[in-house]
Amino acid sequence: MVRLDLGDVVLRRMQEKDFEAVKALIKEGCEGTENRLILHLLTRPLTLLMLATLSSILRCVLHSFIMALVIPVFILIIYLKLTIPQSVGILGSSRPYWDYMASSYHANIEPDLPNPHSGRVKLIPNQEKTRRRKKAKEKEKTNEREKVDEDELKERAKVAGEVWVADSDAEIIGCVARDGRSRDGVSRICRLVVQSWYRREGLGRLMLQGLESKVKQSGICRVYAHVPYPSKMGEAFFRRLGYRLQGETAGTEGEEDDDYEEPERGWLGFPLTKVFVKDL
């Protein structure tokens, strides 16, 4: 496999034409996460106690130990399968849907995120002309499709947040999202996904650092990242980039109670995510 050249990667806002590619990318990145979350929730002491109690009751009714054991677990797994995507959301937020239209609001005029590797690569003239023509055509199509009320879309965009994609030769190979519900002075990263073929190439670090540079320019001094609870690789990744687990420095200067970020919660209030924080 050819190694990814980070200098070829463009970090830009998600546009309408990217919707399906980004959805497929997020679905691929979340394939194992949901099952790990369900296993985590099933092995909690309170859950085991409730399952054991229900199994004892069913055993008296069904007169079958195996059926009394399997039925409660099966029902709970189905329930979790149906509710986890709604509680966590496609971007790792509590909203049960993703407003794609609002997430791409004014994406065409938003400047790209900084890429420190791009200076090492120069486009040949033909490639540069092709990109300019493509951008001009996309701008024309966008103007034709601009039928949604501007004020309404602007309000929806505040809630939907921003989605940034890593584009390499017109292929979406990664994405990172910033939640629109972020408070003043802080920003929240909801989802960071890299296509499986391009992992361990430095792309995740590049996207995260590019987004940090952007939010820092807008006056934000703290960034929160929600990591799925059983993801050890995700924890190690954010720690390498200078993030710390919320609460590790409780009581120290700068860790104020008002800046506390509530983790996402699921079945019986069990946390689904760990919150990592970094001061910029």
Side-chain angles (χ1 to χ4, degrees):
M1 187 181 71
V2 180
R3 185 176 178 83
L4 175 68
D5 190 339
L6 295 178
D8 289 329
V9 177
V10 177
L11 304 177
R12 59 173 176 80
R13 278 284 299 277
M14 181 188 71
Q15 301 172 3
E16 288 185 59
K17 63 184 178 66
D18 304 321
F19 290 167
E20 295 305 320
V22 172
K23 282 199 294 185
L25 182 66
I26 292 177
K27 184 178 180 181
E28 175 193 340
C30 298
E31 278 180 354
T33 302
E34 182 180 307
N35 293 332
R36 287 195 296 270
L37 277 173
I38 290 175
L39 181 61
H40 167 74
L41 295 175
L42 286 175
T43 54
R44 297 305 91 196
L46 183 56
T47 304
L48 293 175
L49 177 61
M50 293 181 63
L51 290 174
T53 304
L54 188 56
S55 295
S56 300
I57 298 172
L58 287 176
R59 189 177 179 185
C60 300
V61 176
L62 301 174
H63 304 289
S64 170
F65 175 77
I66 295 179
M67 292 297 293
L69 184 64
V70 170
I71 289 177
V73 175
F74 178 76
I75 293 176
L76 181 55
I77 290 176
I78 296 299
Y79 171 77
L80 292 174
K81 282 278 187 181
L82 294 174
T83 56
I84 280 182
Q86 295 177 1
S87 61
V88 178
I90 196 168
L91 285 179
S93 68
S94 57
R95 296 191 306 279
Y97 65 92
W98 181 8
D99 190 342
Y100 290 97
M101 177 68 75
S103 296
S104 62
Y105 176 69
H106 278 180
N108 294 328
I109 61 174
E110 191 83 20
D112 296 339
L113 293 180
N115 182 352
H117 302 274
S118 60
R120 301 184 309 202
V121 177
K122 294 183 179 179
L123 293 174
I124 60 177
N126 290 338
Q127 288 178 326
E128 193 170 356
K129 289 179 181 178
T130 303
R131 286 198 178 186
R132 287 177 180 173
R133 284 197 297 267
K134 190 180 294 185
K135 285 185 177 180
K137 289 180 180 179
E138 290 172 358
K139 189 174 181 179
E140 290 175 5
K141 290 180 180 179
T142 303
N143 292 334
E144 292 174 1
R145 291 195 302 263
E146 195 69 32
K147 298 178 181 179
V148 184
D149 183 71
E150 187 76 10
D151 293 335
E152 180 187 351
L153 192 57
K154 189 175 181 179
E155 289 301 316
R156 284 164 54 189
K158 291 179 181 179
V159 179
E162 305 168 355
V163 182
W164 298 83
V165 298
D167 185 336
S168 179
D169 295 327
E171 180 186 7
I172 305 300
I173 59 176
C175 69
V176 60
R178 177 187 173 194
D179 198 332
R181 298 179 304 161
S182 301
R183 304 185 300 275
D184 292 339
V186 302
S187 184
R188 184 187 188 202
I189 297 171
C190 338
R191 181 72 72 196
L192 175 65
V193 182
V194 175
Q195 194 181 109
S196 56
W197 290 102
Y198 299 99
R199 290 172 186 168
R200 300 184 183 276
E201 299 276 353
L203 182 59
R205 177 190 294 265
L206 177 64
M207 290 191 295
L208 189 59
Q209 291 178 338
L211 186 56
E212 287 175 358
S213 299
K214 174 181 171 58
V215 299
K216 188 175 181 179
Q217 290 174 0
S218 59
I220 290 173
C221 56
R222 175 168 290 187
V223 179
Y224 289 100
H226 284 241
V227 179
Y229 204 90
S231 177
K232 300 299 181 185
M233 291 182 61
E235 291 184 29
F237 170 79
F238 279 98
R239 287 187 185 278
R240 284 198 301 270
L241 292 182
Y243 285 76
R244 67 182 188 278
L245 183 63
Q246 182 174 251
E248 283 184 341
T249 56
T252 61
E253 186 178 355
E255 187 91 17
E256 302 294 340
D257 292 337
D258 335 355
D259 290 337
Y260 178 77
E261 177 81 3
E262 185 69 27
E264 299 295 341
R265 298 186 179 276
W267 166 254
L268 295 178
F270 293 133
L272 299 177
T273 60
K274 290 183 179 180
V275 180
F276 284 79
V277 59
K278 179 180 181 180
D279 294 319
L280 301 178

